[in-house]
């Protein structure tokens, strides 16, 4: 997958630098959620071991209260992170929209005559909207999910090397499989976005020239062209939808495989007196927890790829210069 990291970092630095305090707070909040996600299952493991009499010590009531309290804190921190992320996103994208609009207003008339209003709306607003998640949490989320996945695998290795090794191989296989499917899917989504932009550009141009079309007797020609474009858009939307369904089905199959591996491995180690019942639960829970960052990493890499297409279009627009220089 081709991800131009330097260009991404340059754009982030330009529009997130004025909000460094919010970005730092967002990073701390996301780091807090990672720690809570890794620690809470340890409380449940201890609860099960004490309840089944496998270990002694500790109050079940106190552990239950602690688990509930930390779960509430985790939800609060997650909600606060989402709020701060949206603030960062809107501030950055609004600044980018303003820069694009100001740049286009400085260009000469030939530029505006060669582009339809619908196309300009898509270039200034649509492409920037596609970057909203990129500016808010995409890169930070990607890093945090990688850290979460590494943390889960490290804790599984601490419990039993066989569990850690098995889940590491499973995570690697899953990332490879979903990445291969995504590489097949990205060109289809790119075609769908391009077809959508062309269609709305045509609609805007047609609505703006209604009187000219009628006076020229070109209504039939325009309707015929509209039908061809809507048919093309329909075909690309169907292909895009089927691609999404294939990816969703693949994710569900991987989920089922992971659960089966966790349950089989837990049963094997438990009946071999290698681990306790609480650790069996911990392996299953961490496997479920491992699934989320794997799926999100795949989605975020896909979003980064889509962001790259939008960044290309934004940079292309900013590089256009006026043919008439102001003396």
């Amino acid at each position: 997958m081709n991800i131009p990291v330097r260009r991404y970092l340059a754009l982030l630095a330009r529009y997130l630098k004025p909000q460094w305090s919010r970005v730092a707070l967002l990073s701390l909040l996301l780091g807090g959620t990672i720690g809570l996600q890794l620690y809470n299952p340890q409380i449940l493991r201890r609860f099960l071991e004490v309840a089944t009499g496998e270990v002694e010590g500790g109050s079940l009531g106190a552990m239950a209260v602690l688990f509930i309290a930390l779960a509430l804190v985790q939800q609060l921190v997650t909600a606060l992170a989402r709020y701060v992320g949206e603030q960062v996103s809107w501030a950055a994208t609004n600044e980018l929209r303003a820069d694009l609009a100001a740049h286009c207003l400085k260009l000469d008339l030939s530029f505006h005559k060669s582009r339809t209003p619908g196309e300009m709306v898509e270039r200034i607003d649509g492409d920037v909207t596609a970057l909203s998640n990129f500016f808010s949490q995409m890169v930070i989320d990607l890093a945090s999910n990688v850290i979460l996945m590494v943390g889960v695998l490290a804790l599984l290795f601490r419990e039993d090397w066989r569990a850690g090794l098995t889940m590491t191989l499973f995570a690697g296989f899953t990332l490879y499989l979903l990445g291969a499917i995504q590489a097949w899917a990205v060109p289809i989504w790119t075609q769908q976005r391009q077809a959508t932009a062309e269609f709305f550009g045509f609609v805007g141009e047609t609505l703006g020239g209604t009187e000219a079309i009628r006076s020229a007797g070109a209504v039939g020609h325009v309707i015929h062209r509209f039908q061809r474009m809507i048919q093309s858009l329909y075909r690309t939307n169907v292909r895009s939808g089927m691609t999404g369904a294939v990816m969703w089905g693949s994710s569900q199959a991987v989920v089922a495989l992971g659960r089966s591996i966790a349950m089989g491995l837990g049963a094997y180690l438990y009946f071999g007196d290698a681990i306790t019942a609480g650790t069996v639960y911990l392996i299953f829970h961490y496997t479920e927890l491992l699934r989320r960052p794997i799926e999100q990493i795949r989605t975020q890499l896909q979003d980064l790829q889509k962001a790259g297409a939008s960044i290309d279009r934004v940079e292309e627009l900013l590089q256009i210069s006026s043919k008439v220089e102001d003396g």
Side-chain angles (χ1 to χ4, degrees), residues 77-320:
V77 172
T78 301
L80 185 58
R82 182 61 58 187
Y83 174 76
V84 175
E86 288 299 318
Q87 283 189 319
V88 172
S89 168
W90 279 103
T93 51
N94 284 341
E95 185 178 354
L96 180 56
R97 287 187 185 93
D99 288 347
L100 286 173
H103 175 74
C104 291
L105 289 174
K106 294 177 183 178
L107 298 177
D108 57 84
L109 194 60
S110 63
F111 168 82
H112 295 281
K113 283 186 175 181
S114 63
R115 289 163 177 82
T116 64
E119 180 184 355
M120 294 308 301
V121 170
E122 177 67 17
R123 295 294 294 272
I124 294 177
D125 185 65
D127 287 331
V128 175
T129 300
L131 291 174
S132 59
N133 186 39
F134 171 74
F135 279 117
S136 60
Q137 289 185 231
M138 186 188 301
V139 176
I140 297 175
D141 270 353
L142 179 59
S144 64
N145 278 314
V146 171
I147 294 172
L148 176 59
M149 184 174 67
V150 172
V152 168
L153 294 174
L155 289 174
L156 285 172
F157 268 108
R158 192 188 71 169
E159 297 301 329
D160 189 280
W161 69 269
R162 289 164 290 189
L165 179 60
T166 302
M167 289 301 108
T168 300
L169 294 175
F170 168 72
F173 167 75
T174 302
L175 283 173
Y176 172 77
L177 176 64
L178 295 180
I181 296 175
Q182 177 189 315
W184 161 74
V186 166
I188 297 175
W189 284 324
T190 302
Q191 293 173 8
Q192 190 269 341
R193 183 167 178 79
Q194 180 65 28
T196 301
E198 291 176 356
F199 174 74
F200 283 110
F202 169 75
V203 170
E205 181 182 11
T206 302
L207 293 177
T210 302
E211 296 300 325
I213 292 171
R214 288 178 177 174
S215 63
V219 174
H221 170 73
V222 171
I223 292 297
H224 179 65
R225 187 179 171 192
F226 175 83
Q227 289 177 338
R228 286 187 302 176
M229 294 194 73
I230 200 69
Q231 288 172 356
S232 176
L233 182 61
Y234 168 76
R235 287 192 294 269
T236 57
N237 280 335
V238 169
R239 290 184 63 197
S240 176
M242 291 298 296
T243 301
V246 169
M247 295 200 71
W248 179 84
S250 302
S251 298
Q252 295 304 306
V254 168
V255 168
L257 176 62
R259 288 173 177 170
S260 301
I261 293 174
M263 293 177 68
L265 180 63
Y268 170 76
L269 295 176
Y270 177 75
F271 288 112
D273 294 327
I275 58 175
T276 64
T279 307
V280 172
Y281 162 78
L282 195 66
I283 292 174
F284 183 81
H285 186 92
Y286 276 151
T287 302
E288 286 289 290
L289 190 60
L290 188 64
R291 172 178 60 88
R292 299 173 195 171
I294 289 175
E295 289 185 345
Q296 289 177 4
I297 287 170
R298 185 261 304 167
T299 302
Q300 286 153 359
L301 288 175
Q302 169 193 323
D303 289 342
L304 278 176
Q305 196 78 3
K306 291 181 179 179
S310 296
I311 290 172
D312 285 340
R313 290 163 61 86
V314 167
E315 290 181 345
E316 178 187 355
L317 187 58
L318 288 173
Q319 289 172 1
I320 297 176

